[in-house]
């Protein structure tokens, strides 16, 4: 454990951010690392709980050994802390930056005090590992001569590929875009996850012997049936990339875009030319409305702010969350409370107010007469439980409102995976349109074809994708070899 009474002696201190006005000037990460002494103090706050909910399914889907590496950080044994971290997580630098940290929501200390700064400790451990040269390629000592194809290079695909390679299999990862990383590269802005950090880890995988083929799209320039013939087993880790649309009058107007089209075009242009090529959807001088209040919506706000938008407003159909846990949201559940994320903070610093409007439903997009969006009509809504206990939405009469907007970004989540081509008709889907594959088994309706990550479970967190990739790798290894030596999830 950490220091026996550390939680009484030290207050919570997480990694801090540069001020909004400074970080809005660029696209770099803006976190300020904790000192070594501060990290030891934060590790000391861990209580060595009898039942550490932080590493349970409630807190951490990949069962990170959180109390163990907290203790090692407190004792200054950072290399051992890194080894513990890598036992369950292939890419802690990703989760340490973009995961919302359900582990902290489940921390026992968080019942009546600020929880342990688990996420900050995690990212600091792995950053130290790279800085010290402790993280190196570890190719397998024995080759099995079995071949596995992985479709998709997001967190699930990369985690599975690394595990399968370490089991001695030949692994090829297929990515439809021009860069490896999937969601990590093109779905998350650079200031939240620098792409050099993604490439650094991808290079480790290359050095371990994993082959990457980019600009290969299944069903377009490579048929699914051909891919199956090339490999002894196949993993589909292609994500849930079908965006949820907003079918309203005026949806066809110019200036209404899916959030991922906006974010992808920005990041590609940033990486290709530092935005000098102009081949991206620019929010400069635009009155931007972002519809959807999740992480993607926040990323759109932050990106639009850096473009130099004239204004930004964020619509959220749900009511404003409470400041503290509601009675129906007890610990150790994820706390559904009001949070100010980095994009909200930046918009408030620039424009003087939080950009969010809660309990608001869009009704139609307004046309300038030339096919360009110029505004949105909305109505306020009220949520209440019906007789069966389910929430129902009702419009509030007399609350109609018009908002000026010449750029609208739809950030309302995703529906499932995109089709993989005409020759996948025998691939069964579940009732939500995801690829059907049993939890913990991962095999689909097709012999030797497995699925993991968002394409199997639906849109979720990076940490879930890593866990699914690891689990699928073990299932594939067992399928190929009769049994698997890869770690079994708890």
């Amino acid at each position: 454990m950490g220091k026996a009474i550390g939680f009484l002696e030290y207050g919570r201190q997480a990694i801090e951010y540069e001020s909004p006005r400074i970080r809005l000037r660029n696209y770099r990460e803006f976190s300020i690392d904790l000192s070594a002494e501060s990290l030891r103090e934060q590790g000391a706050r861990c209580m060595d709980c009898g039942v550490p909910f932080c590493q349970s399914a409630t807190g951490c889907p990949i069962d990170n050994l959180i109390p163990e590496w907290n203790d090692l950080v407190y004792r200054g044994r950072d290399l051992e802390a890194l080894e513990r971290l890598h036992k369950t997580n292939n890419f802690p630098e990703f989760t340490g930056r973009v995961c919302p940290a359900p582990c902290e929501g489940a921390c026992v200390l968080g019942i009546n005090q600020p929880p342990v700064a688990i996420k900050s400790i995690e990212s600091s451990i792995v950053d130290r590992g790279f800085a010290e040269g402790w993280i190196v390629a570890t190719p397998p000592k024995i080759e099995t001569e079995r071949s596995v194809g992985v479709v998709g290079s997001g967190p699930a695909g990369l985690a599975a590929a690394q595990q399968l390679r370490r089991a001695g299999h030949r692994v090829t990862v297929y990515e439809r875009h021009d860069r490896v990383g999937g969601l990590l590269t093109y779905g998350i802005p650079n200031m939240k996850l620098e792409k050099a950090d993604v490439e650094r880890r991808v290079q480790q995988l290359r050095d371990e012997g994993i082959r990457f083929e980019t600009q290969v799209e299944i069903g377009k320039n490579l048929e699914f049936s051909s891919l199956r013939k090339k490999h002894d087993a196949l993993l589909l880790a292609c994500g849930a990339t079908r965006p949820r649309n907003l079918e309203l009058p005026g949806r066809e107007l110019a200036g209404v875009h899916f959030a991922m089209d906006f974010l992808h075009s920005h990041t590609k242009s940033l990486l290709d030319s530092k935005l000098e090529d102009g081949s991206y959807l620019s929010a400069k001088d635009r009155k931007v409305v972002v519809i959807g209040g999740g992480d993607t919506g926040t990323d759109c706000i932050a990106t639009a702010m850096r473009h130099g938008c004239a204004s930004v407003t964020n619509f959220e159909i749900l009511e404003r969350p409470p400041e503290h846990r509601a009675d129906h949201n007890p610990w150790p559940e994820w706390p559904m409370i009001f949070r100010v994320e980095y994009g909200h903070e930046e918009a408030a610093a620039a424009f003087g107010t939080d950009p969010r409007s809660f309990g608001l439903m869009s009704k139609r997009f307004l046309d300038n007469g030339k096919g360009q969006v110029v505004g949105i009509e909305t109505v306020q809504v009220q949520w209440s439980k019906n007789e069966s206990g389910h929430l129902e939405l009702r419009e509030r009469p007399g609350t109609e409102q018009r908002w000026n907007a010449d750029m609208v970004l739809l950030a309302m989540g995703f529906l499932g995976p995109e089709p993989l081509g005409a020759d996948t008709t025998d691939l069964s889907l579940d009732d939500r349109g995801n690829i059907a594959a049993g939890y913990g088994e991962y095999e689909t309706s097709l012999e030797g074809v497995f699925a993991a990550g968002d394409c199997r479970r639906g849109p979720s967190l990076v940490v879930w994708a890593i866990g699914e990739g690891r689990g699928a790798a073990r299932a594939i290894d067992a399928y190929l070899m009769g049994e698997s030596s890869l770690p079994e999830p708890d």
Side-chain angles (χ1 to χ4, degrees):
M1 63 176 295
K3 191 174 183 181
I5 57 172
F7 67 96
L8 297 175
E9 294 185 12
Y10 308 116
R12 174 184 166 93
Q13 183 183 1
I15 288 176
E16 297 180 348
Y17 295 158
E18 293 177 342
S19 71
R21 294 192 181 278
I22 292 176
R23 66 190 194 232
L24 279 171
R25 300 172 187 167
N26 56 66
Y27 296 96
R28 299 191 306 270
E29 281 190 28
F30 45 79
S31 58
I32 302 172
D33 293 337
L34 295 175
S35 67
E37 181 59 31
S38 294
L39 277 173
R40 283 195 289 272
E41 291 178 357
Q42 294 310 299
R45 296 186 73 234
C46 188
M47 301 168 65
D48 192 26
C49 311
V51 180
F53 281 80
C54 61
Q55 66 182 50
S56 69
T58 304
C60 183
I62 54 177
D63 305 311
N64 271 335
L65 304 173
I66 295 168
E68 293 185 29
W69 40 261
N70 280 339
D71 175 65
L72 290 166
V73 166
Y74 163 62
R75 299 180 188 283
R77 295 158 60 180
D78 291 351
L79 176 57
E80 293 173 76
L82 178 66
E83 292 169 349
R84 290 291 197 284
L85 191 52
H86 273 144
K87 278 185 177 293
T88 57
N89 188 352
N90 297 68
F91 314 121
E93 68 274 27
F94 303 156
T95 52
R97 285 167 167 79
V98 306
C99 182
C103 52
E104 294 187 11
C107 174
V108 173
L109 183 58
I111 294 174
N112 57 9
Q113 290 190 42
V116 175
I118 299 168
K119 182 175 173 179
S120 296
I121 297 172
E122 176 182 25
S123 60
S124 297
I125 293 170
V126 70
D127 287 349
R128 171 83 190 278
F130 276 112
E132 297 288 345
W134 294 336
I135 299 174
V136 295
T138 54
K141 296 178 180 179
I142 298 174
E143 299 284 349
T144 68
E145 303 303 326
R146 302 296 177 89
S147 171
V148 183
V150 178
V151 179
S153 68
L158 293 180
Q162 186 168 53
Q163 294 297 101
L164 287 163
R165 181 62 192 140
R166 289 178 173 176
H169 306 305
R170 297 195 306 270
V171 181
T172 302
V173 179
Y174 301 91
E175 169 56 53
R176 66 175 175 172
H177 295 305
D178 60 334
R179 289 180 173 87
V180 175
L183 168 77
L184 300 168
T185 295
Y186 283 130
I188 300 172
N190 197 72
M191 54 275 191
K192 194 171 176 181
L193 176 62
E194 288 204 4
K195 305 316 159 192
D197 291 344
V198 179
E199 178 56 30
R200 174 179 64 183
R201 188 63 86 164
V202 170
Q203 187 58 50
Q204 180 198 9
L205 271 60
R206 289 193 186 101
D207 293 342
E208 290 178 353
I210 296 171
R211 181 182 177 189
F212 291 94
E213 293 190 16
T214 56
Q215 296 182 304
V216 175
E217 187 162 2
I218 310 307
K220 293 194 175 178
N221 55 7
L222 178 61
E223 295 303 319
F224 181 75
S225 55
S226 299
L227 188 62
R228 288 187 71 190
K229 292 175 183 177
K230 289 179 66 173
H231 299 285
D232 298 308
L234 192 62
L235 174 64
L236 304 178
C238 43
T241 52
R242 284 191 296 120
R244 180 176 281 107
N245 203 358
L246 189 58
E247 298 287 358
L248 296 177
R251 170 63 182 88
E252 75 287 352
L253 295 173
V256 183
H257 308 281
F258 286 119
M260 276 301 161
D261 293 339
F262 174 70
L263 295 174
H264 182 118
S265 70
H266 163 82
T267 299
K268 179 166 171 50
S269 180
L270 180 68
L271 296 176
D272 285 349
S273 68
K274 298 183 179 179
L275 302 181
E276 291 180 3
D277 60 13
S279 355
Y280 63 99
L281 296 171
S282 176
K284 183 174 175 57
D285 299 327
R286 299 278 190 177
K287 295 182 284 292
V288 178
V289 169
V290 179
I291 301 179
D295 288 341
T296 302
T298 303
D299 293 339
C300 287
I301 294 169
T303 302
M305 292 293 302
R306 283 162 176 76
H307 286 182
C309 62
S311 64
V312 63
T313 306
N314 186 199
F315 294 172
E316 172 56 75
I317 198 169
L318 298 175
E319 295 174 346
R320 188 183 191 275
E323 295 288 338
H324 305 286
R325 285 183 184 271
D327 291 341
H328 62 270
N329 177 214
W331 175 90
E333 293 179 357
W334 172 247
M336 304 296 292
I337 58 175
F338 182 77
R339 291 179 172 83
V340 178
E341 304 293 351
Y342 78 111
H344 310 142
E345 185 182 36
E346 292 165 359
F351 298 125
T353 185
D354 192 295
R356 290 170 287 182
S357 290
F358 292 94
L360 206 63
M361 184 170 69
S362 302
K363 297 292 288 183
R364 70 186 183 101
F365 302 108
L366 304 176
D367 189 347
N368 68 350
K370 300 178 182 179
Q372 170 69 41
V373 67
V374 292
I376 307 175
E377 284 186 359
T378 65
V379 64
Q380 292 180 15
V381 296
Q382 186 172 11
W383 293 86
S384 59
K385 287 188 178 181
N386 59 23
E387 294 179 354
S388 61
H390 296 107
L391 286 174
E392 282 187 344
L393 176 152
R394 290 188 177 87
E395 296 184 14
R396 297 174 60 185
T399 62
E400 294 79 7
Q401 187 174 357
R402 172 177 171 151
W403 306 75
N404 294 327
D406 49 18
M407 174 178 268
V408 179
L409 303 175
L410 307 181
M412 302 175 298
F414 301 89
L415 298 174
E418 297 175 45
L420 291 171
D423 57 350
T424 60
T425 54
D426 292 335
L427 186 66
S428 296
L429 305 179
D430 65 18
D431 56 6
R432 297 179 298 161
N434 300 320
I435 298 171
Y439 181 74
E441 299 173 357
Y442 302 99
E443 189 165 14
T444 70
S445 56
L446 299 177
E447 170 73 21
V449 179
F450 298 76
D454 288 3
C455 70
R456 191 203 71 82
R457 63 174 287 115
S460 191
L461 305 177
V462 167
V463 67
W464 268 112
I466 292 172
E468 291 245 323
R470 290 172 62 89
R474 179 178 168 82
I476 293 169
D477 187 36
Y479 168 78
L480 294 173
M481 307 302 294
E483 61 182 6
S484 178
S485 60
L486 291 173
E488 183 174 5
D490 292 339

